[in-house]
């Protein structure tokens, strides 16, 4: 199977998560620095460009023996998970993803290194044949 990109709605969800994480940073910048409106616009534009690059670099591939997840912009990561090492598959479907037959899937290998090392987050994966 050829490597696939995540659904475009995954970009919206990832951008929302990044925006939430940047609120504290933006408040600190607002408190210590006095930027002009165009500097704030430039920071926001840089965040949008970074989000687009990050989204574009995330791909997954299902082979006959393993799941391959590629991510990262500056530091490219390729993670291989053989099917026999999969312990859990967590599925979550938000109400606004239902019409598109999409859901968030996290594949857990139960390996060492904590939650971020052992999970493969496939946000907005297509679960139905009628989806885009």
């Amino acid at each position: 199977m050829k490597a696939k990109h995540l659904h475009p709605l995954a970009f919206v969800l990832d951008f929302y998560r990044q925006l939430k994480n940047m609120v504290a940073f933006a408040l600190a910048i607002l408190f210590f620095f006095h930027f002009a409106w165009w500097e704030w616009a430039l920071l926001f534009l840089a965040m949008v460009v970074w989000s687009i690059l990050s989204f574009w670099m995330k791909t997954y591939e299902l082979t006959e023996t393993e799941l391959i997840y590629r991510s990262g912009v500056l530091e490219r990561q390729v993670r291989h998970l053989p099917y026999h090492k999969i312990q859990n598959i967590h599925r979550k479907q938000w109400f606004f993803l239902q019409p598109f037959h999409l859901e968030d899937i996290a594949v857990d290998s139960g390996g060492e290194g904590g939650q971020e090392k052992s999970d493969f987050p496939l946000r907005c994966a297509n679960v139905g044949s009628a989806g885009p």
Side-chain angles (χ1 to χ4, degrees):
M1 173 184 211
K2 186 178 173 187
K4 288 184 164 184
H5 290 280
L6 299 175
H7 193 274
L9 266 175
F11 169 74
V12 175
L13 294 176
D14 280 345
F15 184 72
Y16 172 72
R17 286 183 186 106
Q18 286 181 2
L19 198 59
K20 266 191 347 188
N21 293 336
M22 294 298 290
V23 167
F25 181 66
L27 288 176
I29 288 176
L30 183 65
F31 185 72
F32 291 112
F33 301 104
H34 299 287
F35 285 159
W37 68 269
W38 63 270
E39 292 169 323
W40 284 107
L42 191 63
L43 282 173
F44 183 75
L45 183 65
M47 192 175 87
V48 169
V49 168
W50 182 261
S51 297
I52 290 171
L53 279 174
S54 176
F55 169 74
W56 186 254
M57 298 302 283
K58 288 179 190 172
T59 61
Y60 68 96
E61 184 177 352
L62 299 172
T63 65
E64 291 188 22
T65 58
E66 65 185 355
L67 169 65
I68 303 169
Y69 181 70
R70 295 175 181 90
S71 64
V73 177
L74 297 177
E75 181 184 348
R76 193 77 172 134
Q77 297 175 354
V78 179
R79 296 166 49 193
H80 300 266
L81 179 61
Y83 292 141
H84 68 276
K85 294 218 178 194
I86 292 176
Q87 289 187 349
N88 293 318
I89 298 176
H90 306 279
R91 298 169 59 188
K92 178 173 53 172
Q93 187 176 39
W94 293 95
F95 68 93
F96 54 86
L97 296 177
Q98 254 180 341
F100 303 104
H101 302 283
L102 300 172
E103 63 185 24
D104 288 350
I105 298 174
V107 180
D108 184 19
S109 66
E112 296 180 13
Q115 184 77 10
E116 73 179 44
K117 293 276 187 183
S118 64
D119 273 358
F120 286 68
L122 300 175
R123 289 180 177 48
C124 293
N126 195 351
V127 294
S129 59

